[in-house]
Amino acid sequence: MQITINNLNKVYKNGNHAIKNIELEIPSGMFGLLGPNGAGKSTLMRILVTLMKPSSGQVKVDGLDLLKNRRQIRSMLGYLPQDFSFFSKLKTYEFLDYAARLAGMKSASKRRQAVDQMLEEVGLFEARDRNANKLSGGMKRRLGIAQALINEPKIIIVDEPTTGLDPEERIRFRNLLSTISTTDVIIILSTHIVGDISSTCHNMALLNKGQLAFAGSPEELVKQAEGSVWLIKATEAEYLEINEKFPVISTIPAEGGWEIQVVADEINGYYGEQIEPNLEHAYVHFMENKLNQWSNS
Ligand SMILES: Nc1ncnc2c1ncn2[C@@H]1O[C@H](COP(=O)(O)OP(=O)(O)OP(=O)(O)O)[C@@H](O)[C@H]1O
Ligand SMILES: [Mg+2]
């Protein structure tokens, strides 16, 4: 499985240029789409699930043109929109059965089996007879995930799927996707939560203001931040200064003041040591440096 995106652009009717000249290859497995608010993640996803046409450019799925083969590609898709919600009087299992029917599963007995299994997998089996509308926020989210996965799609596109999930549910969800992730499945997951990507995705892209800022493995992104993450031991007085000068990642009270993690190439004048970067550091480092350079040039 492979998705190839060539010179993709999306300009909304109001003139918003939400996707700018994106060139990207998405291989099989879990693919993380990271970027700040308004970066264009949801726009890109809506194009990939054929809900919206690009203004220009091309998307190919295993060599098939996305627009010319819409029906065929749609049958391979599972999608969880960012604003997934539903208004219905259906019970949880009825809702999922309905989703399965929409996805083209014709046999009622096969549907029943698939629905039960999926309810089990997302931990909603006990809630199967409850009104779907009255589930808790996190449970609705899980039902959303279930409807995206019900027809065993080859391309799974989930937009901020872990929003509203508690930490345990988030881990369960990650594991669920990891088990589905095989060589002939593509799972694209957008998120603000850097940790969701570092623990599951072999490949990722970073979007900013509609542009592709980075594509590669999380490890490659982390490498770029090597030498630029510091642990500063600061006095009470220095604390505010540092906060003004550098992006601060974390602050922990320590003897005589604070231990502060900052992302910076130099920490002139302060007492500190370099530490190993993680993906969160790398994300901040990237946003601070690369993008400033680009926008200045
Ligand atoms: N229907 C629309 N009409 C006009 N502009 C839009 C529309 N939808 C999104 N935009 C704009 O396009 C840009 C990208 O939005 P998009 O929702 O794709 O970003 P995002 O990365 O998903 O953000 P978030 O992290 O907040 O979900 C933003 O500037 C947004 O305001
Ligand atoms: Mg979005």
Side-chain angles (χ1 to χ4, degrees):
M1 266 278 156
Q2 171 150 313
I3 297 178
T4 310
I5 300 172
N6 279 317
N7 205 12
L8 199 71
N9 281 276
K10 176 68 192 183
V11 184
Y12 282 109
K13 283 203 185 84
N14 65 0
N16 265 351
H17 199 160
I19 293 289
K20 294 177 187 157
N21 302 320
I22 288 192
E23 299 272 339
L24 182 64
E25 290 207 346
I26 303 177
S28 302
M30 294 263 279
F31 189 91
L33 202 54
L34 195 61
N37 287 125
K41 304 180 296 294
S42 297
T43 302
L44 178 59
M45 288 181 145
R46 285 197 288 265
I47 292 172
L48 293 179
V49 298
T50 75
L51 284 178
M52 202 167 68
K53 283 189 180 158
S55 307
S56 67
Q58 200 182 36
V59 178
K60 285 193 168 170
V61 177
D62 271 353
L64 291 178
D65 187 281
L66 185 73
L67 295 177
K68 291 181 191 142
N69 302 274
R70 247 170 82 149
R71 271 187 64 179
Q72 189 182 348
I73 289 169
R74 274 198 173 181
S75 70
M76 302 195 282
L77 278 172
Y79 174 48
L80 173 62
Q82 183 168 7
D83 50 6
F84 175 74
S85 59
F86 44 84
F87 302 94
S88 77
K89 294 214 162 98
L90 297 180
K91 292 177 177 173
T92 299
Y93 81 90
E94 288 171 338
F95 178 82
L96 206 48
D97 183 74
Y98 175 69
R101 238 167 46 215
L102 282 186
M105 294 177 74
K106 294 210 175 82
S107 150
S109 66
K110 274 195 188 141
R111 269 200 325 266
R112 195 171 315 128
Q113 206 184 348
V115 165
D116 281 356
Q117 196 185 329
M118 190 50 72
L119 285 171
E120 198 70 68
E121 277 175 39
V122 298
L124 285 177
F125 195 79
E126 310 285 287
R128 64 199 301 281
D129 285 318
R130 282 176 59 186
N131 185 328
N133 249 335
K134 295 193 176 138
L135 297 174
S136 74
M139 287 166 115
K140 280 184 185 164
R141 209 72 211 152
R142 283 191 254 154
L143 186 55
I145 291 155
Q147 63 79 34
L149 300 179
I150 189 73
N151 62 329
E152 299 186 357
K154 295 283 184 210
I155 303 169
I156 298 162
I157 296 186
V158 286
D159 198 353
E160 309 267 353
T162 57
T163 311
L165 297 187
D166 66 36
E168 266 176 50
E169 283 185 319
R170 219 154 70 210
I171 293 167
R172 265 187 52 170
F173 171 70
R174 279 206 307 251
N175 292 339
L176 176 65
L177 284 190
S178 297
T179 55
I180 300 167
S181 166
T182 58
T183 48
D184 65 342
V185 174
I186 292 181
I187 303 176
I188 306 175
L189 144 98
S190 82
T191 183
H192 297 108
I193 302 164
V194 179
D196 280 348
I197 288 189
S198 51
S199 45
T200 42
C201 299
H202 290 300
N203 293 288
M204 61 169 288
L206 190 56
L207 284 187
N208 189 51
K209 296 179 185 156
Q211 284 174 314
L212 184 69
F214 170 87
S217 69
E219 293 77 20
E220 284 170 70
L221 190 63
V222 169
K223 247 196 192 127
Q224 299 190 5
E226 266 171 22
S228 301
V229 186
W230 300 81
L231 186 66
I232 302 181
K233 298 212 189 333
T235 61
E236 203 68 54
E238 286 170 324
Y239 173 76
L240 287 175
E241 259 175 55
I242 290 170
N243 221 343
E244 297 242 309
K245 282 189 186 159
F246 308 113
V248 169
I249 305 284
S250 70
T251 310
I252 303 168
E255 248 187 72
W258 302 91
E259 281 190 357
I260 309 174
Q261 279 188 21
V262 305
V263 169
D265 293 331
E266 301 281 346
I267 53 160
N268 302 332
Y270 296 104
Y271 175 73
E273 60 186 50
Q274 286 189 357
I275 56 172
E276 281 294 309
N278 60 31
L279 193 61
E280 197 175 25
H281 298 134
Y283 177 74
V284 173
H285 175 255
F286 199 89
M287 293 314 246
E288 288 286 321
N289 288 334
K290 275 272 160 48
L291 300 171
N292 286 343
Q293 281 166 21
W294 284 7
S295 54
N296 291 341
S297 64

